Amino acid sequence: MSDPDTSETLEALASLPTLAHPTASPDGESVAFYYDGTGRNELHVLDPDSGESERWSDGEVPRNARWHVEWSADGERVFFHLDDAGDEQNDVYAVDRDGTVEPVVEMDGQVVLHDVGEDGETLLVGSTRDGQMNLYAHDLSSGETAKLTDYERAVWTGLLSPDGDRLAYTTNEADDFENMDVYLADADGSNPRNLGVGETGAEAAPVDWGPDGDRLLVSDNSADLTRSGVYDLETDEVAWFGGEFEEEPHGFTPDGERFLVTRTRDAAKMPVVYDVESGEARELDLPEGVATFAGDSTLADDRVLLTHTTPTRRPDLLAYDLATDEYETLHEAEYGPFSPEDFADAEYFTVTSDGVPETRQAAVEHDPYETLDIGALLYDSGERPSPLIVNPHGGPRAMDTKSFGLYTQFLVQRGFSVLQVNYRGSTGRGREFVQRLYDDWGGAEQGDVATAAEHVLDTREWVDEDSVAVFGGSYGGYSAYWQMLQYPDLYDAGVAWIGLTDLEDQYENTMPHYRTELMEKNLGTPEENPDLYHERSPIEYVENLSAPLFVLHGVNDRRVPVSQARLFRAALDDFGYTEGPESAGSKSPRGDGDAVGGDYEYEELGEEGHASSDIDQKIRLFRLLDDFLDRRIGTEAVAADD
């Protein structure tokens, strides 16, 4: 078990207060956000001029700050999403400055607030009430909710026009699973029209209405890298911006003469402002790291609201003056007993990968995949020799960035160096790079992860090659299972957290919009591709396990249901593996008579869904991780303490 000093360190790290989902009020005079400075997540409202903030909630908002918040049109209330113990079957509630809390939209399934009408009467929400995620209009005066769309595939990014007469959204009616189109409809959902933004097979989406309602800011990746477009609704013409970098548009400035985007460069994300008339782009003057615009980023006096973080600095809330290129910190991150100097910086590097690591070259019968430069981040713990944690990201539509990672820094504090890999399929490098993972889960992207790990072991002599573990959550949990089972010689232990194990079971039991937008888009359906679903399921390879594996899963997870862990556990038992913290002397299920290289451990996390930002639940997870890694591979620092 962890010693007292270790326990204090991990609890102090997990307890660092975190700000989440800042958004400016309609008049730009207030900022709402979640903050857990009391030890529990609460809704706070800040005056950006005075710097003073007050807490509006008292335990009514969710402990887990997963979902965003939105202001009412009059700025008197804040809407938030409330679920049951992390199950994400949200309803929409409202809280005012007096602390009065009331339900606003209650429906079966998951409810997501998309937009608040400027008339103060209408909420545009998405819901899985009838199965698939579709759009609904909720009238605040009457309390009535009307269904607006009825598509077989999920509807996303619903936006009400300034006058409330129209709505824009994105969905897919094409035969191509990869396709996403921008639609325009009347406010009641009638007369839907595909605007034809982008080519078939590409992904386009509406982002923001112009202030006069005559233009739409849209995104599109037809040209590979995501770009921004201003769509003129009177002429049906689009003016395109960008193309040199992957850029995600965020929204127009209030005058409509400029718009904001986030530009990805290697593993950094930087804010950019475009001039609509000239097309000129200006990157805001901030240190390299990750800058994220707030939900509604408009403050008074030509200022924008954003958060900024680096690998060693926790997120600060900033007000950036677009006229002077100066910024002030509205809410400074807390560090408790730590300082930025206590945290490890990220070394960014690339590694050439053909999707087949050296440990598998002889066993692979097919030709190597296309050779690519794969980006990676390495955090050096400073221990010599240092054990290594390979930490693939989730998603898989995501990427690791030069931002502060609490789990990363926790592992570093415990003496583990950490490797993160932006394998093929990750975001930040365009449509083609993302699509390389389609129909190939458990293929080249897993080879990229293993190749990067081999590269670090070959080039960093200070890494202990006998103390290498893999740890990941969600799709990263799928990767952890896959790495342990397909590259067993590479790892000495693994932790699979809320990971996928049986792809057909995942398809049948996940939420409807994850079924169509994650499983079908990436793999087709089990009926169409039964062999692929079978071959790329980790549960089919449990006999390859040869090192200790820790399986962790939240019982209320609706994205990756707990059945994924339970099925894998049953398969391990069927092959003769023994559950428990210590090796039980069981024999190898492969029949070679040798003791199994490591039995497995299993933990279901109650009152938790698909991960959690709640401090108590983070402390629990940190303790479980620390105990497992300490016992199974340890560090020189831990050995010295013992």
Side-chain angles (χ1 to χ4, degrees):
M1 296 295 291
S2 302
D3 61 42
D5 290 340
T6 297
S7 180
E8 291 174 5
T9 297
L10 67 86
E11 185 166 337
L13 271 171
S15 300
L16 291 175
T18 301
L19 180 148
H21 305 300
T23 188
S25 60
D27 62 7
E29 300 292 342
S30 300
V31 179
F33 55 88
Y34 279 144
Y35 190 64
D36 54 8
T38 63
R40 189 206 189 279
N41 185 51
E42 299 285 2
L43 192 282
H44 294 252
V45 174
L46 176 143
D47 182 332
D49 292 327
S50 69
E52 297 181 357
S53 65
E54 59 178 323
R55 194 180 81 192
W56 281 19
S57 67
D58 187 19
E60 299 91 353
V61 300
R63 300 186 66 94
N64 180 18
R66 177 184 298 279
W67 290 93
H68 63 280
V69 299
E70 297 272 358
W71 283 91
S72 62
D74 60 9
E76 295 299 317
R77 299 194 295 172
V78 174
F79 300 111
F80 63 92
H81 299 79
L82 186 64
D83 66 4
D84 183 14
D87 68 0
E88 296 188 82
Q89 303 306 286
N90 310 318
D91 290 318
V92 177
Y93 279 63
V95 57
D96 63 22
R97 66 179 64 253
D98 296 326
T100 301
V101 176
E102 63 176 352
V104 177
V105 184
E106 295 180 292
M107 290 194 286
D108 291 337
Q110 185 180 81
V111 179
V112 179
L113 179 56
H114 283 284
D115 203 1
V116 178
E118 293 185 13
D119 60 1
E121 297 296 328
T122 307
L123 298 184
L124 184 63
V125 302
S127 176
T128 59
R129 185 194 70 180
D130 297 337
Q132 185 55 276
M133 179 68 73
N134 270 284
L135 292 180
Y136 296 74
H138 179 83
D139 187 284
L140 290 168
S141 296
S142 68
E144 296 181 355
T145 304
K147 190 172 185 179
L148 305 180
T149 67
D150 190 18
Y151 292 96
E152 293 182 4
R153 297 187 189 143
V155 179
W156 304 101
T157 324
L159 298 170
L160 288 166
S161 62
D163 60 11
D165 290 342
R166 293 165 295 171
L167 63 139
Y169 55 90
T170 184
T171 191
N172 180 22
E173 293 185 285
D175 293 334
D176 191 331
F177 283 125
E178 302 167 16
N179 184 72
M180 294 296 288
D181 287 315
V182 177
Y183 284 75
L184 188 69
D186 294 340
D188 62 359
S190 64
N191 301 315
R193 177 167 68 100
N194 185 339
L195 296 184
V197 176
E199 63 185 33
T200 300
E203 298 168 321
V207 176
D208 192 20
W209 285 88
D212 297 327
D214 58 352
R215 295 175 298 170
L216 275 174
L217 181 63
V218 298
S219 67
D220 170 59
N221 63 8
S222 294
D224 188 24
L225 296 176
T226 303
R227 57 184 177 173
S228 304
V230 175
Y231 189 105
D232 188 315
L233 294 170
E234 295 182 357
T235 65
D236 283 333
E237 295 179 348
V238 187
W240 293 110
F241 302 79
E244 183 181 356
F245 300 95
E246 180 83 353
E247 294 181 343
E248 293 288 343
H250 175 76
F252 285 108
T253 56
D255 57 14
E257 296 177 359
R258 295 159 295 173
F259 62 88
L260 309 170
V261 309
T262 301
R263 171 181 292 170
T264 299
R265 185 176 57 246
D266 292 332
K269 290 181 176 287
M270 301 302 290
V272 174
V273 58
Y274 272 95
D275 182 273
V276 174
E277 184 67 27
S278 68
E280 293 182 358
R282 175 168 57 92
E283 190 170 300
L284 302 190
D285 188 15
L286 290 168
E288 184 178 75
V290 172
T292 306
F293 289 109
D296 189 325
S297 60
T298 301
L299 295 173
D301 303 323
D302 206 29
R303 296 182 299 166
V304 293
L305 184 69
L306 48 81
T307 58
H308 180 264
T309 175
T310 73
T312 62
R313 296 197 67 87
R314 306 187 69 235
D316 291 324
L317 182 64
L318 309 178
Y320 193 102
D321 191 315
L322 296 178
T324 65
D325 270 335
E326 296 178 346
Y327 61 89
E328 62 174 319
T329 302
L330 301 180
H331 192 282
E332 188 172 4
E334 296 185 40
Y335 289 86
F338 307 97
S339 70
E341 290 73 25
D342 294 322
F343 301 124
D345 204 352
E347 174 198 349
Y348 179 79
F349 67 93
T350 61
V351 60
T352 301
S353 172
D354 62 6
V356 182
E358 291 295 328
T359 55
R360 291 282 291 167
Q361 291 284 353
V364 173
E365 297 179 356
H366 62 75
D367 293 333
Y369 295 89
E370 183 176 354
T371 299
L372 299 172
D373 287 334
I374 301 299
L377 296 165
L378 181 62
Y379 295 80
D380 182 359
S381 70
E383 290 295 325
R384 297 295 183 266
S386 175
L388 179 69
I389 304 291
V390 179
N391 177 218
H393 64 71
R397 196 84 180 252
M399 67 178 296
D400 285 310
T401 60
K402 295 178 181 177
S403 58
F404 184 86
L406 184 64
Y407 289 85
T408 300
Q409 298 298 343
F410 156 67
L411 293 168
V412 169
Q413 289 286 324
R414 295 299 299 123
F416 300 98
S417 295
V418 178
L419 172 66
Q420 298 173 335
V421 184
N422 286 325
Y423 47 80
R424 65 193 74 196
S426 302
T427 56
R429 293 180 59 179
R431 168 187 170 197
E432 292 181 5
F433 195 78
V434 165
Q435 291 179 339
R436 293 180 192 279
L437 187 52
Y438 290 177
D439 297 324
D440 195 37
W441 282 17
E445 97 283 9
Q446 298 300 326
D448 294 339
V449 173
T451 296
E454 290 177 337
H455 173 81
V456 169
L457 292 170
D458 290 341
T459 60
R460 273 67 168 184
E461 60 183 19
W462 43 267
V463 172
D464 186 352
E465 62 181 13
D466 295 321
S467 298
V468 180
V470 59
F471 161 55
S474 194
Y475 193 86
Y478 171 82
S479 296
Y481 285 118
W482 201 261
Q483 294 289 310
M484 290 286 287
L485 299 173
Q486 295 299 321
Y487 315 117
D489 294 340
L490 191 57
Y491 297 102
D492 303 287
V495 180
W497 176 35
I498 51 176
L500 296 77
T501 67
D502 185 316
L503 297 183
E504 186 169 353
D505 177 82
Q506 168 71 13
Y507 180 89
E508 295 296 333
N509 292 302
T510 189
M511 289 184 281
H513 46 306
Y514 283 93
R515 182 178 304 123
T516 56
E517 303 309 304
L518 179 67
M519 306 301 293
E520 291 182 3
K521 191 166 188 172
N522 282 269
L523 300 170
T525 68
E527 291 76 19
E528 294 169 330
N529 297 315
D531 291 344
L532 183 64
Y533 270 76
H534 174 81
E535 293 168 0
R536 302 305 173 90
S537 292
I539 199 169
E540 301 296 332
Y541 307 96
V542 293
E543 70 273 17
N544 292 346
L545 185 67
S546 62
L549 173 66
F550 192 9
V551 176
L552 285 153
H553 217 107
V555 297
N556 295 328
D557 196 339
R558 296 296 295 271
R559 299 191 186 201
V560 181
V562 70
S563 59
Q564 293 289 294
R566 292 172 179 172
L567 288 169
F568 195 81
R569 180 191 200 182
L572 287 171
D573 290 343
D574 289 344
F575 269 93
Y577 291 98
T578 303
E579 179 186 350
E582 304 295 339
S583 177
S586 55
K587 296 301 180 181
S588 168
R590 293 182 294 276
D592 56 15
D594 295 329
V596 174
D599 296 314
Y600 75 96
E601 301 179 29
Y602 185 92
E603 186 83 22
E604 291 187 3
L605 305 175
E607 298 295 311
E608 186 170 326
H610 197 67
S612 177
S613 65
D614 177 61
I615 287 176
D616 289 341
Q617 291 174 336
K618 285 189 292 189
I619 291 173
R620 174 180 62 179
L621 184 59
F622 278 10
R623 285 175 174 162
L624 290 168
L625 283 174
D626 186 67
D627 178 56
F628 175 81
L629 293 172
D630 183 0
R631 288 184 289 100
R632 295 299 193 171
I633 60 175
T635 68
E636 289 296 310
V638 171
D641 291 339
D642 293 342

